[in-house]
Amino acid sequence: MSALSVTASGAAADAVAAHVPTLVADEVASRLFAQDHTLWGPAAEEESAKRLAWVGLARSSRPLVGEISALRDDLRERGVDRVILCGMGGSSLAPEVICATAGVPLVVLDSSHPDVVRAAARDLERTVVVVSSKSGSTVETDSQRRVLEQAFRDAGIDPAERVVVVTDPGSPLDEDARGKGYRVINADPSVGGRYSALTAFGLVPSGLAGADVEELLDDAESVTDLLSADDEANPALRLGAAMAGTDPLRDKLYLVDHGTPVVGFGDWAEQLIAESTGKEGKGILPVVLDAPGDRALPADATLVRLVGPDDETPDETAAPSVIDVGGTLGAQLLLWEAATAVAGRLLGINPFDQPDVESAKAAARSLLDAKGDAVLSPDVTDGAVEIRGLGGDWLGQAGTVAEALDALLGQLDDSGYVAVMAYLDREEHADLAEVATAIADRTGRPTTFGWGPRFLHSTGQYHKGGPADGVFVQVTDAPREDLAVPGRDFTLGEFIAAQAGGDAQVLVDHGRPVLALHLTEPSGVRSVLGAAQDGA
């Protein structure tokens, strides 16, 4: 496979022709890689001035390679070969893709569900835990760390021998971890979470798991000069223009695996695009598909095919707007970061902030403090599913899950989308993702699926800050057994319930309808699947 390729057809090609010459004339590529923080306008300058070091990570992260290798060798000499990563959003999505592509095992703990956290706390005699957080204030990651520290102690293992912390220098977590004698590896503080794939946040857990992080940096470095060139052949300029420059704007981006050897890339790109662009009522909604032909393409969407080495020519009959992207993983990480920054300039937004993420966190904290006092009674119960219609009286006389879903979909307009948000154990309930495909088939509209609470650090920004045309299905459950968080006055069960409730409340505050489905028994999943597939 060539290091990098971007080709376009239809409306996407028209956007490239319309915008790339201006981007070249404005020297956007060279200014971006020179860390020019004025590219996105005066309102973005303060934030972008401290968030652009990612453009040089292919070189500046080189010292990490030897450090990671030495630490991995030391751990394996002691029989420690299982890696758990505690991290959310940008701290976990890149390592998940890197390790899956490399074919090496990594336990990604990006949930606050008690059943999920408990299941991870096994095989401790051969386990190292990487705690990844820029500040350490991410409650999910802090809670996971506390539970696993206690599990190590209960097993007679000193956590200082098994916990590796990745954080910004001088952060509260940095100081606390060093005080406990933990191994600490600092990341570049001038890089935001979703652009951090090639920092210590992406490289440390991946390298400890066995991925070749030096090759990843080599691939990124090999395309740096290409991506920084003020040239109409620049793949980042072409991709950014095709994403955000169609006229009228096709603001839905369908990402489909079309033979790429990169595993799970869409999930990483989803966060990067949605959180970077979804604000001020604007944004590009990424929709991740598993296979070609998985969904019909609506008129306001562009199809992105993530191609393999033998399929780098766009099929102009596939859709009226197509982008084909191919290349090695390290090269694509840098490509999509640069292209998203370019797209932000075309959209007129700041691609480096996330102003609406904090709102759901604040609402969750408020509910957690209330200790369940504000829990709403269900509007109706259908077998093992409690049903609540939030954000207006749209639920009407619905008495079943299927009728409630039909009522919600009745609120969907011609430009809207559906988001399914599951605060469940994703291994146990993986088949629930089929709900999104079923709804998309019924409505013809973009339908996304996210595991909570991880999507709160990803598409959650788009849900609140992007175009206000989404309708939302939230699925929660009762954990098999709750789990206390050492040193905190709440349990994980209470916390994830507060996260779900807080997110729903913020969506309602933004005027959006939410269908909240609470499973009182695992069998309730079948009711939700059936409602999506068969309707009322």
Side-chain angles (χ1 to χ4, degrees):
M1 180 188 297
S2 61
L4 213 52
S5 65
V6 174
T7 53
S9 64
D14 294 341
V16 171
H19 292 285
V20 169
T22 302
L23 293 169
V24 170
D26 291 343
E27 300 180 334
V28 169
S30 61
R31 290 167 61 194
L32 173 62
F33 279 79
Q35 301 188 36
D36 183 346
H37 63 287
T38 68
L39 281 168
W40 301 274
E45 287 186 15
E46 181 179 359
E47 184 71 21
S48 59
K50 54 188 179 184
R51 289 289 179 259
L52 287 172
W54 54 270
V55 299
L57 289 172
R59 298 185 180 97
S60 63
S61 288
R62 292 287 173 175
L64 290 171
V65 173
E67 185 175 2
I68 294 168
S69 178
L71 179 56
R72 181 180 64 239
D73 291 347
D74 175 64
L75 288 167
R76 292 192 174 179
E77 285 177 5
R78 291 186 278 140
V80 179
D81 61 355
R82 177 174 179 260
V83 182
I84 296 177
L85 170 60
C86 298
M88 301 299 297
S91 298
S92 64
L93 289 165
E96 190 168 52
V97 173
I98 294 167
C99 290
T101 300
V104 298
L106 175 69
V107 179
V108 177
L109 191 52
D110 57 359
S111 175
S112 46
H113 196 292
D115 295 341
V116 176
V117 176
R118 183 183 300 103
R122 60 175 180 79
D123 296 335
L124 296 179
E125 69 282 353
R126 49 181 285 258
T127 295
V128 60
V129 173
V130 179
V131 178
S132 288
S133 175
K134 284 182 69 65
S135 67
S137 64
T138 303
V139 181
E140 298 98 324
T141 304
D142 177 73
S143 299
Q144 296 156 359
R145 174 182 64 84
R146 290 170 179 269
V147 169
L148 290 169
E149 284 174 337
Q150 187 61 51
F152 277 130
R153 294 188 193 100
D154 292 346
I157 299 170
D158 182 359
E161 296 294 320
R162 298 297 185 84
V163 175
V164 177
V165 171
V166 181
T167 188
D168 283 356
S171 72
L173 177 59
D174 186 27
E175 297 174 4
D176 178 67
R178 292 184 189 278
K180 292 177 177 177
Y182 291 174
R183 177 69 174 264
V184 178
I185 300 177
N186 289 135
D188 191 326
S190 297
V191 179
R194 58 188 175 275
Y195 292 84
S196 66
L198 299 177
T199 69
F201 288 111
L203 302 182
V204 170
S206 302
L208 293 183
D212 187 342
V213 296
E214 184 172 24
E215 181 181 49
L216 200 71
L217 295 175
D218 288 344
D219 288 343
E221 187 166 12
S222 73
V223 298
T224 297
D225 289 343
L226 175 65
L227 298 179
S228 62
D230 295 313
D231 188 292
E232 292 190 16
N234 184 322
L237 299 182
R238 294 172 62 83
L239 180 55
M243 288 167 57
T246 49
D247 184 20
L249 178 63
R250 292 172 175 263
D251 62 355
K252 314 301 190 298
L253 201 69
Y254 280 55
L255 298 158
V256 59
D257 181 334
H258 203 280
T260 175
V262 179
V263 180
F265 189 80
D267 290 334
W268 175 82
E270 178 185 50
Q271 184 208 16
L272 176 69
I273 298 164
E275 196 170 34
S276 296
T277 68
K279 57 201 71 171
E280 300 179 26
K282 307 175 185 178
I284 299 168
L285 177 68
V287 182
V288 181
L289 307 184
D290 292 329
D294 201 17
R295 311 268 178 88
L297 195 72
D300 54 351
T302 289
L303 176 66
V304 177
R305 304 193 313 176
L306 302 170
V307 301
D310 300 321
D311 187 10
E312 296 184 1
T313 301
D315 176 2
E316 296 193 13
T317 65
S321 185
V322 181
I323 312 168
D324 277 27
V325 183
T328 55
L329 176 54
Q332 286 210 59
L333 291 170
L334 188 57
L335 164 68
W336 282 88
E337 289 169 348
T340 300
V342 171
R345 177 179 170 90
L346 293 176
L347 292 170
I349 53 90
N350 176 4
F352 305 109
D353 66 352
Q354 48 283 332
D356 298 291
V357 168
E358 183 58 35
S359 60
K361 293 181 181 180
R365 284 194 293 267
S366 178
L367 289 177
L368 198 57
D369 291 341
K371 284 292 183 183
D373 293 342
V375 173
L376 299 174
S377 298
D379 293 312
V380 66
T381 299
D382 179 13
V385 184
E386 296 178 347
I387 302 168
R388 299 173 179 85
L390 309 176
D393 57 2
W394 53 267
L395 189 61
Q397 300 302 309
T400 66
V401 176
E403 291 170 352
L405 182 58
D406 283 354
L408 177 76
L409 298 180
Q411 306 300 301
L412 183 64
D413 62 35
D414 291 341
S415 64
Y417 68 96
V418 184
V420 182
M421 311 169 297
Y423 289 80
L424 307 175
D425 182 335
R426 62 170 162 155
E427 289 193 9
E428 180 180 1
H429 297 299
D431 56 345
L432 190 64
E434 297 172 16
V435 167
T437 300
I439 291 175
D441 288 344
R442 286 175 56 184
T443 64
R445 295 304 304 157
T447 305
T448 64
F449 185 90
W451 294 105
R454 88 177 201 170
F455 78 85
L456 294 175
H457 300 260
S458 176
T459 51
Q461 166 62 41
Y462 184 97
H463 293 166
K464 289 97 174 174
D469 55 9
V471 302
F472 299 87
V473 181
Q474 181 187 90
V475 187
T476 59
D477 73 351
R480 285 185 168 83
E481 182 183 351
D482 208 345
L483 189 58
V485 180
R488 297 300 190 200
D489 61 354
F490 57 83
T491 67
L492 285 179
E494 291 169 339
F495 179 44
I496 196 169
Q499 289 182 292
D503 187 43
Q505 183 57 57
V506 173
L507 290 170
V508 168
D509 291 345
H510 280 72
R512 306 315 305 156
V514 180
L515 174 60
L517 305 175
H518 181 71
L519 313 181
T520 57
E521 298 289 343
S523 61
V525 167
R526 291 196 296 272
S527 297
V528 178
L529 278 169
Q533 292 167 345
D534 302 327

